[in-house]
Amino acid sequence: MSKLHVSRLNPLTIIGEQLNLSPKTVSTYKQRLMEKLHVDHVLSLAHLMTVHGLIDAPNHHVGT
């Protein structure tokens, strides 16, 4: 699963169609990735991707 697919939070069926995989397979890969990274939620995954420069951080800052 590419970083672009994860970062856009596409439904599993759309990701599966684009990668020629079943939604169940995409779900399994997603779950395995999250387990290996020790994250419980997609937002935590997106945060990790931002911290490591895989996706851009939003252009706004809290409190500004």
Side-chain angles (χ1 to χ4, degrees):
M1 184 177 324
S2 76
K3 64 182 180 181
L4 180 61
H5 287 111
V6 174
S7 67
R8 288 187 179 173
L9 302 177
N10 285 331
L12 299 178
T13 53
I14 293 173
I15 295 170
E17 288 173 2
Q18 293 174 344
L19 298 175
N20 199 27
L21 299 170
S22 75
K24 177 65 178 164
T25 300
V26 175
S27 177
T28 299
Y29 289 167
K30 176 183 155 191
Q31 186 60 38
R32 288 179 184 169
L33 173 68
M34 292 176 70
E35 288 174 8
K36 288 180 181 186
L37 295 173
H38 304 286
V39 295
D40 295 328
H41 197 273
V42 176
L43 290 176
S44 299
L45 182 59
H47 174 74
L48 275 176
M49 292 175 72
T50 302
V51 167
H52 292 283
L54 298 173
I55 57 175
D56 294 330
N59 291 329
H60 66 282
H61 301 281
V62 176
T64 60

